[in-house]
Amino acid sequence: MKKVIITGGAGFIGSHVVRRLVNQYPEYKILNLDALTYAGNLENLKDVENKTNYQFIKADITNETHIDKIFSAFQPDGVIHLAAESHVDRSITSPLEFVKTNVIGTVNLLNAAKNIWKNNFKGKRFHHVSTDEVYGTLGETGLFTEKTNYDPHSPYSASKASSDHFVRAYADTYGLPIVITNCSNNYGPNHFPEKLIPLMIHNIINHKPLPVYGDGNYTRDWLYVEDHAVAIDLVFHQGRDKENYNIGGFNEWKNIDLVNLLCRLMDKKLGRAEGESAKLITFVKDRLGHDLRYAIDATKINKELGWKPSVTFEEGLAKTINWYMNNQEWLNHVTSGEYQKYYEEQYS
Ligand code: NAD
Ligand code: DAU
């Protein structure tokens, strides 16, 4: 594998995947293709931007002609597809944006790959990065396995489920060599502060209310983002064709417990009295169609590829909090402009 296109490489997870591959495979040519929406930020890649095996092109995956041109010129051997609209709350207000990017954008990429590989699929691979949300919601018990039926509930998860089906359809219909990964909630540096953990850290720093949806008894399975990047690297290189692999943190937290934990950690970090930040917790209107619980059974990737999370939640949260405290400038940049408008509409 010599030439790899990574879509969405300027986003949260994508930037960690780009960094991992650029540093791990100096002999590769890595092309980061990203539209730089509100969630994409080249500041995330400052440390790799001058590496000789790295290149960036600003491109929108919904633009079929531009995508075809890029694929023809670059002739990738592999694609790791992360570009997406990724925030559930935004999908509830603007579902069509999610259909455009997540469904049509994915199909454009599948077509572009199919066209340049022209049925000669030896050594080629299309890796689609998806989510555990396609499986819907769990009750108090049980885990999502690779055999769990798809049952998406939000426009976001419906668009991701649809894109997964298209990826599989291209394997079944045209023989495209694909692999899909379905991961649980990531956290870590560069996470856009519209998502739970960075939003809480940002608000705690600024003494702003901490909006917890509903009663806060919703559960998510959290994984440190660099562990996800390692898993993607492994599956991209060693996963079996046409398979899907679940990736998860073995680390379930109810939202309210997680927010309280963040408050305690931040009180210490900021030299505040114990319990001071927790006073900011505010229960707000619930998310529509809110899935109760996600939890991943990651036995398959562990057994086949030897992957398991390497960063404990304690270490991961400490690294994350430190990163946000040391990168106030990054936070100021991404929370100016469009973010203010979004925040007002979402939380007023
Ligand atoms: P993100 O929102 O932080 O980044 C998305 C990136 O895609 C941004 O850089 C954005 O500019 C780019 N993008 C958006 N629309 C585009 C378009 N039309 N053309 C080209 N680029 C475009 O998302 P993330 O949290 O890093 O998620 C990355 C992928 O991983 C997504 O496919 C998401 O569904 C999946 N995923 C995310 C999580 C999570 O916890 N964040 C968990 C599992 C799976
Ligand atoms: O499970 C994987 C998915 O995780 C990814 O596919 C998505 O791209 C990613 O955004 C994430 O989706 P969630 O909806 O689980 O993440 P979010 O951080 O938005 O919310 C986590 C939980 O916290 C969820 O139960 C909603 C709740 N929440 C969120 C926000 C933003 C709050 O209580 N208050 C908030 O302000």
Side-chain angles (χ1 to χ4, degrees):
M1 205 65 88
K2 289 283 189 294
K3 289 194 262 176
V4 183
I5 287 183
I6 300 178
T7 71
F12 166 47
I13 302 171
S15 60
H16 289 275
V17 173
V18 166
R19 178 174 302 101
R20 164 100 195 161
L21 266 79
V22 165
N23 289 330
Q24 201 76 8
Y25 305 102
E27 74 281 16
Y28 283 17
K29 284 198 164 104
I30 309 288
L31 170 59
N32 173 11
L33 191 161
D34 197 297
L36 300 182
T37 67
Y38 78 93
N41 186 349
L42 290 176
E43 279 181 70
N44 295 346
L45 290 165
K46 275 260 165 273
D47 56 323
V48 296
E49 69 185 8
N50 293 324
K51 300 259 176 162
T52 50
N53 61 340
Y54 171 74
Q55 170 185 0
F56 168 74
I57 296 182
K58 183 171 184 222
D60 185 334
I61 60 170
T62 66
N63 184 334
E64 190 184 347
T65 319
H66 195 195
I67 293 302
D68 281 345
K69 264 194 192 150
I70 294 168
F71 272 65
S72 299
F74 189 70
Q75 293 286 323
D77 303 294
V79 177
I80 304 180
H81 173 37
L82 296 108
E85 287 295 336
S86 69
H87 192 36
V88 173
D89 293 324
R90 288 185 192 253
S91 83
I92 294 168
T93 42
S94 312
L96 202 52
E97 290 308 309
F98 285 68
V99 176
K100 285 182 193 153
T101 293
N102 300 357
V103 185
I104 296 173
T106 300
V107 176
N108 278 340
L109 293 168
L110 289 165
N111 279 336
K114 174 170 123 3
N115 289 343
I116 57 152
W117 292 339
K118 296 195 179 75
N119 292 327
N120 182 6
F121 294 138
K122 200 161 177 292
K124 311 292 190 229
R125 169 148 283 182
F126 189 103
H127 180 155
H128 178 58
V129 176
S130 191
T131 170
D132 60 357
E133 297 198 15
V134 297
Y135 299 124
T137 186
L138 292 162
E140 295 293 336
T141 58
L143 298 171
F144 294 135
T145 74
E146 287 80 1
K147 302 243 176 299
T148 304
N149 286 337
Y150 275 34
D151 182 23
H153 297 135
S154 71
Y156 164 68
S157 54
S159 69
K160 290 297 288 187
S162 171
S163 66
D164 291 15
H165 289 319
F166 270 104
V167 172
R168 271 198 204 92
Y170 271 62
D172 292 340
T173 308
Y174 309 111
L176 202 76
I178 63 101
V179 70
I180 301 177
T181 45
N182 297 87
C183 190
S184 66
N185 288 63
N186 285 218
Y187 72 99
N190 311 100
H191 204 182
F192 195 81
E194 65 188 348
K195 309 281 170 62
L196 182 73
I197 290 182
L199 184 138
M200 294 298 163
I201 294 175
H202 182 232
N203 285 13
I204 291 170
I205 294 174
N206 293 296
H207 278 284
K208 282 176 70 180
L210 308 178
V212 173
Y213 295 163
D215 60 7
N217 283 317
Y218 295 90
T219 301
R220 297 293 183 262
D221 170 5
W222 294 95
L223 175 70
Y224 191 63
V225 63
E226 285 177 8
D227 276 330
H228 188 187
V230 171
I232 288 174
D233 179 357
L234 267 177
V235 172
F236 178 66
H237 287 98
Q238 296 173 38
R240 286 181 293 134
D241 261 348
K242 282 179 84 168
E243 292 288 323
N244 64 316
Y245 292 86
N246 282 356
I247 303 168
F250 301 98
N251 180 37
E252 289 183 51
W253 282 80
K254 281 197 190 321
N255 294 337
I256 186 64
D257 296 338
L258 174 50
V259 174
N260 271 306
L261 172 63
L262 284 170
C263 288
R264 285 197 297 278
L265 295 172
M266 298 284 294
D267 278 345
K268 275 199 197 133
K269 197 85 206 162
L270 296 163
R272 290 184 188 163
E274 207 182 309
E276 196 180 327
S277 298
K279 288 187 198 144
L280 298 167
I281 293 175
T282 312
F283 291 93
V284 298
K285 184 166 62 82
D286 209 349
R287 174 183 279 175
L288 298 176
H290 201 165
D291 285 333
L292 178 68
R293 176 173 163 256
Y294 304 143
I296 281 278
D297 178 351
T299 309
K300 178 174 169 181
I301 186 172
N302 176 251
K303 285 219 165 112
E304 280 190 24
L305 305 175
W307 178 89
K308 61 177 193 300
S310 70
V311 178
T312 65
F313 202 39
E314 202 183 353
E315 288 162 0
L317 279 185
K319 283 186 193 199
T320 306
I321 290 170
N322 284 341
W323 188 86
Y324 281 93
M325 306 264 297
N326 295 330
N327 287 274
Q328 294 281 341
E329 205 184 326
W330 182 94
L331 261 178
N332 292 342
H333 287 172
V334 303
T335 54
S336 60
E338 195 269 352
Y339 183 82
Q340 301 292 342
K341 189 168 164 273
Y342 164 78
Y343 200 90
E344 245 165 60
E345 280 169 11
Q346 178 65 23
Y347 295 102
S348 64

